Every structure is written in structure tokens, then in C-alpha cells.
Amino acid sequence: MKVDRRSFLSFVIGGAAGTALTPLPWKLTDDLSIWSQNWPWTPVPPRGETTYVASTCTLCPGGCGISVRKVDDRVVKVEGLKGHPVNDGGICPLGLAGAQLLYSPTRVRAPLKKVNGSWREISWDTAIQEIADKLKELRGKGQPQSVAWVSDTDRGTVAELSKRFLTVYGSPNFIRTPSIQDSYELVLYLTQGQRAMAGFDLANATYVLSFGSGIIEGWGAPPHLFRAKSAMQQKGGKISQLEGRLSKTAAKADQFIPLKPGTEGALALGLVHVILKEGLYRKDIVQNHSAGSDALKKIAGDDFAPDAVSKATGVDAKTIVDLAKAFAGAKKPLAVCGRGNGRQEAGNAQEFLAVHFLNALMGSVNTAGGVFAVPEPDYVDWPEPEMDAAASAGMQQARLDGAGGKDFPLSRYLLNRLPEALGAGASSPVQVLFVNQANPVFSLMDTARVEKSLKKIPLIVSFSAFMDETAALAHYILPNHVYLERFEDVPAAQGFPKPFIGLAKPVVAPLFKTRHTGDAVIQLAKAVGGNVASAFGWDSYEACLKESLGDKWDALKEDGYWVDAKFSPAAFETKSKKFEFANADIALLPAYAALKAPGDDKTFPLTLIPFDTLRLASGPIGAPPFLVKSLEETLLQKNDGLVEINPADAQKLGLADGADAVLSTPKGTARVKVALSEGIMPGLVAMVRGLGHTAYDRFLAGKGVNINSLMSSVEAPGTGFEAAWGVRAQLTKA
Amino acid sequence: MDQPNNKRFGMVIDLDKCTGCGACMVACMAENNVPFREDDTDKLLSIAWMRVYRLKNGKSFPQAEECFLPRPCQHCEGHHGHSPCVSVCPATATDYDMQTGIVSQVPTRCFGCRYCMAACPYHVRQFNWWDPVWPDGMERSLNPDVSVRMRGIVEKCSFCYHRYQRALDKAYAEGRRDLKEHEYQTACTQACPAGAITFGDLNNPAHAVHKLAQPDMAHEGQSRNPKAFRLLERLGTNTKIYYLSSKEWVRKAGDTAVQKA
């Protein structure tokens, strides 16, 4: 057949018209999309009965109530518990992503033992027996004190079981991870004679002066403070934020006052100076309920006059006077401190003391809108264990970290000093280290030093539910249940102004061959035998928990929490029975001095400071995928961490927004990208904390830089606390 | 059909209270089976029904100020339900529901032409360039009330419509025809720890959203509250998300452009 022009055109035009008119292409497109939507590898979530279980979140010390939504036996979502005294329905991003932690691919599924550098699954009985054999051997050699235990808390039944184990075994080396609780507890003890936790009644304050505290960035009990802050500002209350960077808290405060970081204590003493000089303090309260106020004139002497403080802090003298007047003039002023989320370092106790003095001068201690001394929980009231000779001898030994010793008589725990205590030599004074709910290899300052020193310990036992950095370094992992699979008491809600107990409940049966750390400790004690075994009479952790909580158990199981609604704080327990601005213990601390960021100014012209975000997890938890996904592009781009710098500084260094750069500090270097920000003080650079993991899943590992690997530890004089707030740094073009 | 008892579900977000924490984003992701990828840092490709933007006042340190702006689907009503995306969808995959004021998105109808994404002035719509993959075992956390979306289709915020259906079912089972205000709340509203988000029926004078937004229905829902504004109001999209701010620069920023986070 011959194709002429006419037939060709009719074919093309006819074909085009036909194609347009027939529904075939549209039908095909639709069918194609329906087909592609039914590919078998796309999950179809199974239906089932929806139920809600009330429990308590243990992912941070905040103690929030949670309502866990289940569909049959699956956890589908974690939500805030309405009507809960701490969070009343509100919840933070990490809490919301709880189901991703339960079903995380990085969970440790069975007890593991490291054999020739790789993990081998072993049975619980074998693992416990092998560790117990080693412990018996050490005890036989008269070295029970060479066993140490690191934990994120020293309260609640699991921590108490661990402490009891160490005591009756014969080691004083139970060490809590550093946080601002160390400083706050010390300050309450020094001035009020109370072993108590600090609680803040932010909701009823009318003016909050925050010395760099991340009130809405994880400090205290996060959702509780979010609500309190909203309520307080709604009623006309004001917040002044003092720090070197426009943090989220600063951005949402009523007033942001740039302050050179590390000089918070100087400013607090400067305010005390003005308040004393102008007689602005509450004379009735100071005269009747305090002692030693004369000493304040010396503590906040002429060195802290506005001009001198202005030079140190970068806040001008008039602002200092105005601030003092605003604070003193407020009906219910409240001063808070502890930078960022306050979960990484203990801080400089003298700075906390100065801030607490401000509250005391204005009568904001133990009153509505002020700071409360919340008593430590007392429900763990077990009979004293019977100590044998080995235990008593071991407990006589000095603590490895030096806490409570002659150099640091006032401190209780100094984990930051552990690397130093492990010494430079080849042998380690610690033969066995237990790690529970802590990830020191990631979260202590100068991680390379920490890792190197921990590697000297012949036996590390981790109770981690996840393969975190410290677990990866361990020799045994005895995996705990995840919080949605276990009972556990939450002995306090950090920063909450009332005594509180929460109960975490098993929402689902354990998914893997994990075991409750409480049970593991009891079984370990029984395997060690002798007096150690007889100190643990319980059959199981649950029995121990039930017995400890006593008459509160039923209410806790029903409601998930117990709160002392009518709480009124106890009278001061100092010698004078008053608030003491000065006494023999306080005199043990050297006078306040601002601590410098380590590193020399010439090589390192900038100062690197860390900051926190609620879009990342801190402490022993690694951020689940939803959190990493929600991170701002100013914090992470592909696998590069970003460092925030003022455009003026960047211009001097020839760095554009998004440029590749090298950040170096005395402790290390890292490749970063540059994020220009008008919210940071010239001279400072900042990086977020919580990135740069080497462990966990592909959604978190290898992303960004762990700022702790660039930081250098700073030991506060008098207390030995970790007080690193920054480090000198250099930023150069890559 | 415009009927007297029609609802207009909407939201008021108090930017003075919003802290930018991101709880709304994560609550939304967990509620709505939003997929995630190993590298989700390119925000043009990363799917989030709710996104928190950061607004800046453009001044230098220390006068620089920031404000956070959560952005769900704005559920535009336009003129009589002609929202920008609904008008362009060739597959009727997105529709304006006159009874609730919710702009729906039906994943199985969508064939991925992405006209709606081009039409939306608020970047609330995102395309699934990849099949969603959950790490082994994590698919157990998926919510059966919300379909998992495939490669090749567009998705966006639904005002947690499944929660409305669930609440209605419950009410019907109890012999009621109408819902109480608290019975239908979106996941982001429920989660917000700062109490910045208020959700409810803008047509119902008893609802908190109505009191805060004070919509003037004679003028396409414009707010009578001097602190309130809507995003790009001048486009006439007649959105149902009202923002409150006591700062003028924030209110102004809302009608120009949303800066990068």
C-alpha cells in the first residue's frame, strides 16, 4: 500500500483525535496509579481494637503522663495524658515519637557478649553467672571497691537497688551523670540545710529572670514549663532571658539581654550588689528568716558594682541597674539558672548560689511563684543490709571520683572526673563498670578522652536497651525493656514544685529477650551469693516495687501518678533554722570567679558554645527518625552539621552561608557547614547538641558533629563539677 | 451545599505562645503515618503535613527577633469552596467539603500530576517521590485509621479527618448527632505543650476558635481581632488558619513571604 500525503495526514490527525476522545489513556493512567498503589511491599496497617493505656514517660526526668494508643497488641502512638498534674495533655516531640523507640531497629534483642571483638548472643543465666563469677573473684581478692556503677539517677527503686548492690558488695563508687541537679541540690543544702530537689513555680511568678536556662528547650520538665510559661505570660508576667545567643527561649522571652556566656554568676552578683546598695530587698523576710546577710556585702562587694560587672558580662551598667530594679520591683520575681536543658553539665555551683541569693533576697523561696525545696522521695525504705567484713572494708575506701573526699567535700557525684581517676597507667582502678541509662562515651566532654579511658576497664556491663556508643564499647549487654514494656517508678518530675511519683507501666509485652534491669540486679546479687544475696530478698523487681510503694501502689496503678497536692515545704534545717547566706559549709567554696573557656585566644579567636533543641534527644536516648526529620535545615544538611556564626564574623573569615568549613578546638576538628545567623553574638559560634552519633540507626548515625567531642572538660573550683560552657575555637574555609 | 448547620472547622495558632518545639510536627507524623527517609534534610523533598517555619525580623544582633510559625494545610475556602488546589485537580482527588470546610485529599484517586502543588500558595502539598519504607519492625507503629501513601501521589494535612469520623461514630453509638468541642481535635492541637493551637468550628460562636478568630463572614472570614492575620490574605484564599501575634512585624511577615526556616 502506498502511503500518500493525504492518507498519512488522515492517519495522524485521526489518530490524535481518536486518542483524545478515547478514555483509554486516562483509564490507563488511573489503572497504573491504582496498580502502583497496591504494590505488596507497601504496608497496610492491620485493623484492631483501639485502647488507651495511661503511663509515665521515662525518656527524660520530666515525669510527664502519657496515654499510649494501642491497636490490638501494637503501640500506634504516644500522646500526653490529659489532666496529669505535670503536663496536662501536652507532650514533647521525643515523647510523641515513643513508638519508634519501641520498634527501633537498634534495640538490643537478647543478652550479648563480646567475643573477639564481635557480639555473640548468650543466655541470661550464662551472662549473669559469668559476670557474677568475675565479681566474686574481685571480692575474693579484696578489691570490691574496683566495681563502679554509672546511672542517670540516684533515685527510684532501680537506682536504689543498684546502690544497695554496690554497698553490700563493698564499693562506694555509684556515680550519677552530671546535670544542673548537682548544683541546685548543693545550693539548697548549703543555704537551707535540706537534701532536696529544686522545684520552680513558674506559672505563679510575675517576673522570671533566666540566666541562660532553656525554659522552653528541655530545662526541667519540658511540657510542664511550656504550659507554665504560657500561663504566666497570659497573666501579664514577663521573662527576661540572659544569654549569648537568640535561643528559642530568648526569642520567646519578653526581653532578650545579650550576655557573654560564662559570666552569668557575675551578673547575678551584680544584681545582688545593686539590690543591697539601693535597699530593694524584702527587709521583713531577710531580717526575720535569714542569717548571714551581712556577708553578702562582701560576696557581692565592689568587684560586682555595675561598672565592673558591665565590663565582665558585656551588659551595660544601666541595664544592670534596671534589671535589678525590675526584679526587685516585681510582685513575684523568680531567678533561674543552668544553661540550655541543664542535662549535660553540673555547672559552677557559685553561680547557682548567687542566683539563689537573688531569690532569697526577694523572698521567693518556698512561696508561690518561687523556688521550692522539694524533699527527696522517701518511699524506698528497705531494711539496712547486713554488711560482711569485705563490704565494710570496701565501703571505707575513698570514692574514685573524689566526691565527698578532702578536695571536694560537698559534692556527691563527679562522673566528669572518672577519666582522670582511671589514670594514665595501663592498669585501671576500675575492674568492672556497670552502665545503666547513661551514655558517657557520647555525652561527657572530650569524648575521645572518655573513650580511651573506658577502654582500659577490663569488664563493662551495659544495661542499655539500645546499641548506643557506650554499649558498643561494653563487654556484656544485659538489655533492659523499653519504657513501654516495663514497670518503673518515676520518683520525681524534675523542676516540678511538688512531690510527685509517676509509674511507668508495661503497655505491651516485651518484644524481645530483654529483662528488667531491676530483675537483672536482683539475679546478679543472688548469683554473687553470701551477704550480697541475702540483701535482696525479693523474688522479682515487681515484688520489690510493689513493696516499696506500699499504700501508694494501688493509686499509682490506677492513675499512673501520685502528687502531694497540699505540699508545704519543710522548715529550713540549717543551724540557725533560717536561710543562710553564709556558713561554714559555704565558706568551703572559693569566691565566685567566671570560668574561662579552655584554649588560647590567639590560635582560637572564637568561642564555641553548645545549645539544645527539643527536636533531638539528649542523655542516654538517641533521637528516633521523626525527630531527625523535624530538624531545621540550619542544624543539619545531608550529613553535615552546621555551625552558627554572626554574619559580621563570617565576612571577616570569608565564609558565606552554607559554605564548607573546618571547625577546630583544642580537642579536635570537624568538617561543618556555615549557617549565618543574626541571632548570635559576634565572637561566638554555636552548634547543636545531640548529633554526631556513631551508634544507633542509619537515620541518626553519622549525621552532624558531636559537639562533646570538641569540648574540653572544665572542673569547677571547690566542687569539681563539670562546668564547661564553651571552648575556644577556630573556623576556617574548607 | 450551603446549609445552616454546616461546620467550618478551623484553627487559631497563637504565635506568642508557640515555642517552635516541633511537637505538632511529630504528633502529625505519628498520627498520619508520614514516611521518613534516611536523608530528610532537603525540605523541598521531605514530607511533613505540618511544618514549623522560622520568621525573622531582618535586623542584626542584638535587635534580631525570631518567631515560629506552624503551617498545616490552610483549608482554603476561596469563593464558595473554590480553593486553589481543588480547582485544578483533574482526578477529583481533592475536594472542598461544604459540610465541614475541610479540603480532602484522597490518595487512591490521585495520579500524581502535581497541579495542586503548583497551585497551592502555601507549600502544604508534598509529593511522594519514593515508596515509603519503614525499618524492619517499625511498620508495627502505623495507624490503621490513615492509609499509607505510595510513590507517585500527593499528600497533605487532612485536619485529622479520621479523628472526626471516629468521634462521630462514637457520638452516633451514644445516640447523639452533634459533637462536643473537645471530641474532635487534631493531633497537633492535642500535642502542643504550649497550648498555642486552638481547633474547632469557626461557625459556632461557643467554640474557642470562633471567639479568638472573630471571623467576619460578610467579608470572607476576615478577622475582627486586631492581633489576628491569615497567611497571604490578599490572595483571597479565605483560609481557615488564623494566626495571632502581638508583634506587628510578625503580622506583616504573614502577608508577604514565608522565609526559609
Side-chain angles (χ1 to χ4, degrees):
Chain A
M1 197 182 95
K2 199 184 163 226
V3 181
D4 59 7
R5 184 172 177 269
R6 185 186 175 92
S7 63
F8 175 77
L9 282 178
S10 358
F11 181 75
V12 170
I13 295 167
T19 310
L21 290 175
T22 170
L24 195 68
W26 311 113
K27 178 68 184 145
L28 279 178
T29 315
D30 200 37
D31 283 354
L32 194 72
S33 65
I34 288 171
W35 173 65
S36 74
Q37 283 165 20
N38 285 294
W39 280 332
W41 56 84
T42 308
V44 178
R47 301 200 161 269
E49 188 196 3
T50 303
T51 49
Y52 293 84
V53 183
S55 185
T56 303
C57 185
T58 65
L59 299 178
C60 91
C64 289
I66 50 173
S67 169
V68 184
R69 192 201 305 169
K70 284 172 67 183
V71 172
D72 286 348
D73 62 343
R74 302 188 292 122
V75 170
V76 161
K77 197 174 166 213
V78 179
E79 293 170 342
L81 185 63
K82 200 85 187 142
H84 192 273
V86 174
N87 57 319
D88 190 18
I91 183 164
C92 78
L94 177 63
L96 281 159
Q100 292 198 326
L101 292 172
L102 175 67
Y103 298 119
S104 167
T106 62
R107 284 195 58 181
V108 182
R109 299 176 175 219
L112 299 178
K113 178 187 184 178
K114 203 180 263 168
V115 183
N116 299 328
S118 58
W119 290 111
R120 187 178 296 168
E121 193 178 316
I122 56 169
S123 76
W124 271 99
D125 289 345
T126 318
I128 284 179
Q129 198 51 56
E130 287 182 18
I131 297 163
D133 287 346
K134 176 74 187 171
L135 291 173
K136 278 194 276 193
E137 183 198 320
L138 282 174
R139 209 163 189 265
K141 285 198 282 186
Q143 302 170 341
Q145 70 278 10
S146 67
V147 175
W149 201 298
V150 173
S151 163
D152 67 332
T153 177
D154 62 343
R155 305 192 183 97
T157 47
V158 173
E160 293 289 353
L161 282 172
S162 323
K163 285 198 280 186
R164 187 179 181 85
F165 180 89
L166 277 196
T167 305
V168 72
Y169 177 81
S171 170
N173 292 309
F174 180 89
I175 317 176
R176 186 175 75 177
T177 52
S179 75
I180 57 167
Q181 299 316 306
D182 294 325
S183 281
Y184 263 120
E185 284 167 18
L186 177 59
V187 162
L188 291 178
Y189 174 70
L190 290 175
T191 58
Q192 300 171 206
Q194 289 159 316
R195 283 288 178 204
M197 306 171 286
F200 306 91
D201 188 13
L202 199 89
N204 291 310
T206 61
Y207 180 66
V208 174
L209 188 56
S210 157
F211 291 83
S213 303
I215 297 173
I216 51 170
E217 286 154 300
W219 190 88
H224 174 69
L225 280 169
F226 277 63
R227 295 206 159 240
K229 177 193 164 281
S230 287
M232 180 236 176
Q233 285 179 321
Q234 188 100 343
K235 287 186 278 185
K238 301 279 180 232
I239 299 176
S240 293
Q241 181 77 5
L242 294 146
E243 59 180 312
R245 177 182 167 271
L246 187 73
S247 64
K248 286 191 167 129
T249 309
K252 303 309 290 187
D254 299 277
Q255 187 187 20
F256 165 49
I257 301 165
L259 166 106
K260 285 186 201 159
T263 65
E264 289 85 351
L267 190 85
L269 288 172
L271 298 181
V272 170
H273 180 94
V274 176
I275 287 172
L276 285 178
K277 199 162 183 190
E278 308 214 359
L280 303 171
Y281 56 91
R282 286 278 299 271
K283 296 181 184 76
D284 50 332
I285 288 173
V286 171
Q287 268 158 25
N288 299 328
H289 301 287
S290 83
S293 59
D294 292 342
L296 270 188
K297 288 194 186 102
K298 209 177 137 235
I299 297 168
D302 288 340
D303 291 352
F304 295 96
D307 285 331
V309 172
S310 173
K311 214 172 276 170
T313 60
V315 181
D316 68 65
K318 186 181 170 297
T319 309
I320 295 170
V321 175
D322 288 348
L323 261 183
K325 285 182 179 162
F327 187 75
K331 205 166 158 216
K332 289 187 182 298
L334 170 64
V336 296
C337 64
R339 277 172 293 273
N341 69 14
R343 305 233 176 89
Q344 321 282 331
E345 63 268 344
N348 186 352
Q350 287 90 324
E351 169 191 322
F352 285 67
L353 199 58
V355 172
H356 197 51
F357 285 166
L358 274 175
N359 287 321
L361 282 172
M362 300 318 304
S364 297
V365 174
N366 286 350
T367 55
V371 189
F372 282 86
V374 181
E376 293 189 326
D378 58 358
Y379 57 85
V380 175
D381 192 16
W382 303 326
E384 284 294 314
E386 208 171 295
M387 305 280 281
D388 60 16
S392 305
M395 288 301 285
Q396 294 299 315
Q397 304 289 320
R399 282 176 65 94
L400 275 162
D401 61 359
K406 68 175 180 5
D407 291 335
F408 309 108
L410 298 169
S411 310
R412 292 162 95 183
Y413 310 106
L414 296 169
L415 183 61
N416 49 308
R417 299 193 75 252
L418 188 65
E420 192 187 314
L422 290 172
S427 77
S428 160
V430 175
Q431 290 295 305
V432 181
L433 178 72
F434 290 93
V435 183
N436 183 33
Q437 300 275 42
N439 188 4
V441 174
F442 180 81
S443 48
L444 291 188
M445 307 293 160
D446 191 0
T447 51
R449 186 177 76 131
V450 176
E451 190 174 335
K452 195 172 155 215
S453 66
L454 287 192
K455 274 188 175 155
K456 286 172 33 181
I457 300 176
L459 179 58
I460 299 179
V461 180
S462 166
F463 293 103
S464 182
F466 302 95
M467 188 57 88
D468 59 39
E469 282 83 356
T470 310
L473 205 72
H475 303 90
Y476 286 89
I477 305 180
L478 305 180
N480 196 358
H481 303 318
V482 161
Y483 73 119
L484 298 171
E485 301 169 319
R486 68 175 194 243
F487 273 117
E488 190 159 332
D489 49 327
V490 177
Q494 196 172 301
F496 186 66
K498 287 182 180 131
F500 165 91
I501 306 171
L503 182 68
K505 281 186 278 189
V507 176
V508 286
L511 300 178
F512 306 117
K513 284 187 263 176
T514 53
R515 196 171 275 186
H516 199 296
T517 299
D519 280 317
V521 174
I522 292 173
Q523 284 153 14
L524 199 57
K526 291 194 168 149
V528 171
N531 280 34
V532 180
S534 44
F536 291 80
W538 305 280
D539 290 332
S540 68
Y541 169 72
E542 203 177 318
C544 163
L545 179 69
K546 213 169 150 180
E547 183 195 307
S548 311
L549 290 167
D551 55 356
K552 291 195 185 84
W553 171 256
D554 288 330
L556 275 167
K557 222 177 154 190
E558 183 72 27
D559 305 330
Y561 64 87
W562 168 89
V563 67
D564 185 358
K566 290 190 200 115
F567 166 66
S568 77
F572 298 139
E573 289 162 41
T574 48
K575 263 192 198 134
S576 62
K577 304 283 172 218
K578 293 177 175 179
F579 186 96
E580 293 185 353
F581 288 101
N583 57 35
D585 279 339
I586 295 176
L588 291 173
L589 292 178
Y592 171 82
L595 300 173
K596 285 207 157 40
D600 81 278
D601 307 7
K602 288 215 176 64
T603 328
F604 302 105
L606 299 162
T607 304
L608 172 69
I609 56 166
F611 63 92
D612 297 306
T613 172
L614 278 174
R615 298 191 198 179
L616 283 171
S618 61
I621 310 284
F626 279 157
L627 291 207
V628 183
K629 181 181 166 86
S630 73
L631 273 184
E632 294 100 322
E633 53 204 323
T634 48
L635 303 183
L636 183 69
Q637 280 174 18
K638 296 220 183 295
N639 285 340
D640 292 325
L642 278 86
V643 62
E644 222 174 78
I645 184 170
N646 191 288
D649 285 339
Q651 198 179 13
K652 276 184 234 158
L653 298 167
L655 293 165
D657 197 23
D660 291 310
V662 175
L663 179 66
S664 24
T665 73
K667 291 297 171 188
T669 55
R671 283 190 69 93
V672 292
K673 275 190 190 300
V674 172
L676 299 189
S677 168
E678 287 293 356
I680 189 161
M681 183 185 276
L684 295 180
V685 286
M687 216 161 42
V688 74
R689 217 159 12 190
L691 285 174
H693 277 283
T694 53
Y696 297 105
D697 53 21
R698 62 200 162 92
F699 301 94
L700 181 62
K703 292 180 189 289
V705 178
N706 180 6
I707 188 169
N708 296 332
S709 69
L710 301 173
M711 297 283 287
S712 183
S713 180
V714 175
E715 201 172 288
T719 56
F721 286 167
E722 178 58 75
W725 55 267
V727 66
R728 300 298 297 189
Q730 184 194 40
L731 193 64
T732 48
K733 256 188 189 168
Chain B
M1 291 283 279
D2 249 333
Q3 280 174 358
N5 59 351
N6 276 353
K7 301 194 179 351
R8 287 176 69 248
F9 287 110
M11 202 176 262
V12 175
I13 305 180
D14 189 338
L15 301 185
D16 291 339
K17 285 184 185 168
C18 172
T19 64
C21 72
C24 50
M25 296 166 69
V26 178
C28 173
M29 292 172 196
E31 181 73 37
N32 293 301
N33 301 333
V34 174
F36 49 87
R37 296 191 313 119
E38 195 173 320
D39 178 17
D40 243 326
T41 58
D42 184 342
K43 300 303 176 194
L44 286 174
L45 301 178
S46 164
I47 296 177
W49 294 9
M50 170 66 114
R51 175 159 293 154
V52 177
Y53 288 84
R54 186 158 69 175
L55 311 178
K56 297 172 182 175
N57 70 347
K59 294 188 181 167
S60 39
F61 190 87
Q63 271 84 39
E65 281 183 43
E66 287 177 0
C67 185
F68 305 95
L69 185 140
R71 187 239 53 206
C73 171
Q74 306 287 305
H75 294 275
C76 308
E77 187 175 351
H79 306 285
H80 309 292
H82 290 285
S83 33
C85 54
V86 171
S87 332
V88 298
C89 180
T92 332
T94 184
D95 193 23
Y96 188 85
D97 179 4
M98 282 293 184
Q99 285 181 30
T100 56
I102 292 175
V103 177
S104 62
Q105 175 73 17
V106 184
T108 44
R109 284 191 193 164
C110 173
F111 52 61
C113 70
R114 290 176 281 139
Y115 286 0
C116 56
M117 288 174 67
C120 175
Y122 304 105
H123 295 292
V124 308
R125 293 176 161 274
Q126 280 123 16
F127 187 63
N128 283 274
W129 289 98
W130 296 273
D131 261 324
V133 179
W134 279 267
D136 204 18
M138 211 183 271
E139 76 284 347
R140 286 176 67 76
S141 66
L142 293 175
N143 179 5
D145 290 347
V146 181
S147 327
V148 173
R149 285 80 53 191
M150 312 306 125
R151 175 166 68 178
I153 62 169
V154 172
E155 61 181 83
K156 71 155 195 89
C157 155
S158 66
F159 264 174
C160 289
Y161 190 72
H162 59 284
R163 287 183 162 224
Y164 183 53
Q165 289 171 314
R166 196 171 261 281
L168 275 183
D169 284 350
K170 189 164 168 272
Y172 290 168
E174 290 166 7
R176 289 179 290 129
R177 303 308 293 175
D178 216 354
L179 293 179
K180 294 193 190 77
E181 188 175 0
H182 69 88
E183 285 182 304
Y184 169 38
Q185 292 289 321
T186 62
C188 51
T189 312
Q190 180 195 36
C192 179
I197 309 180
T198 316
F199 179 81
D201 180 7
L202 289 164
N203 277 352
N204 188 338
H207 279 199
V209 273
H210 181 93
K211 291 176 201 165
L212 288 168
Q214 301 169 26
D216 178 358
M217 290 320 294
H219 293 94
E220 301 214 307
Q222 237 174 45
S223 176
R224 293 193 196 87
N225 184 344
K227 270 173 68 182
F229 68 96
R230 292 187 288 178
L231 289 183
L232 303 176
E233 190 143 10
R234 63 197 154 86
L235 296 182
T237 41
N238 188 7
T239 64
K240 285 194 283 299
I241 312 288
Y242 293 80
Y243 294 94
L244 302 180
S245 175
S246 54
K247 291 180 177 166
E248 206 200 335
W249 72 265
V250 174
R251 296 197 295 267
K252 272 190 175 161
D255 209 16
T256 49
V258 177
Q259 284 171 306
K260 98 174 193 192

